[in-house]
Amino acid sequence: MKGVYEVGLIGAGLMGHGIGRNLLRHGYTLTFLDHPGNQPVDDLMGEGAVLKQHAREVAAASEVVILCVTGTPQVEAVLFEPDGVLEGLKPGAIVIDCSTAIPSSTVAIAERVADRGGRFLDAAMTRTPKEAEEGRLNLLVGASDALFAEVRPLLESFAEHIVHGGPVGAGHKLKLLHNFVSLGFTAVLAEATAAARRAGIADDAFLEVLGNGGGGGVILERLRPFITGEDPSGFRFSLANTLKDVGYYTAMAEDSGAPRRVASAIETLYRDANEAGHGERLVPELIAILEKR
């Protein structure tokens, strides 16, 4: 399918910019929405991308519309509000939601897109803006078998690992499970680091013991630059978004009757940090916040 689709992008931010860049590299035409949350887009426009002022205009110019926004409220707004995507959606067009969203809402959104003659799949992302720019995202997809097979070549233009988790909503369920584990590990490691420092344990000894034992792994390596040099760039994700994602997970667990005692404690930790005014700080900075309590 490479080079066939005309693609629209809603959300050229930290993750979406990389998606747009790689779509252009693989020969797709790109139309995207002008928005204050976009990263600098001169490079995209220099490669032929077209800027539009309304989501309706993006949809009208596209056979596939990719949504790369924050969460469920933003997805619903960009689709359904006046001048939204649904007003310009072409018959048979495909909407790909790369956000992190509440799965029950995702299913309802898919039904509304279908009612307007479109097709919908969720393709939640993991990894960081760095991998987005490199075209090496992980995608967790919820779609029918036929639609997944149709769009997979397009997804491969900006993703390295793609998992088809099941029907619509499965991608967002997997994303919430993934983020709960990831952000849960982060909470544990942040508290442990603060406790280690208060107990007089040197950072290098703490990191060596964890790295060579049960505490090693991706999250430790993302936090390591902050522990060693107060550099939070290893995990470029805000504490506000962290609270949102954990909250979505606990809502999903509650809907299904799943146990959530640990999730509730983790959500409380992140809520406390946000209510103390730290929502715009990056996740590794939670260590400093906890250390000062």
Side-chain angles (χ1 to χ4, degrees), residues 16-127:
H17 181 276
I19 291 175
R21 183 181 182 189
N22 282 285
L23 287 166
L24 289 164
R25 284 178 173 176
H26 284 80
Y28 294 95
T29 62
L30 183 67
T31 302
F32 68 102
L33 180 67
D34 189 17
H35 191 275
N38 288 349
Q39 292 291 291
V41 294
D42 289 348
D43 59 335
L44 301 182
M45 297 179 71
E47 294 182 35
V50 176
L51 188 67
K52 297 290 186 181
Q53 296 301 310
H54 301 290
R56 166 182 51 79
E57 297 173 306
V58 174
S62 307
E63 296 163 296
V64 175
V65 180
I66 298 174
L67 311 180
C68 192
V69 297
T70 304
T72 294
Q74 292 77 21
V75 172
E76 293 176 344
V78 79
L79 285 173
F80 306 135
E81 287 186 355
D83 284 323
V85 167
L86 254 61
E87 288 190 6
L89 195 67
K90 295 179 178 180
I94 300 167
V95 176
I96 301 175
D97 180 8
C98 292
S99 72
T100 300
I102 300 171
S104 57
S105 174
T106 298
V107 174
I109 288 169
E111 291 173 353
R112 290 185 66 177
V113 170
D115 288 343
R116 289 296 297 264
R119 296 176 289 164
F120 181 94
L121 66 148
D122 43 308
M125 305 173 290
T126 67
R127 292 190 163 175

Side-chain angles (χ1 to χ4, degrees), residues 13-15 18 127-135 137 236-237:
L14 286 173
M15 303 295 280
R127 292 190 163 175
T128 70
K130 176 178 181 292
E131 285 86 20
E133 292 291 334
E134 295 168 351
L137 289 172
R236 293 175 65 193
F237 197 67

Side-chain angles (χ1 to χ4, degrees), residues 173-189 218-219 222 235 245-246 249 252 262-263 266 270:
K173 290 175 183 176
L174 283 167
K175 176 64 181 293
L176 296 182
L177 289 162
H178 170 275
N179 279 18
F180 169 57
V181 172
S182 173
L183 298 172
F185 286 173
T186 300
V188 170
L189 284 169
V218 171
I219 299 303
R222 287 184 178 179
F235 201 158
D245 285 8
V246 175
Y249 172 83
M252 181 180 75
V262 173
I266 292 168
Y270 287 123

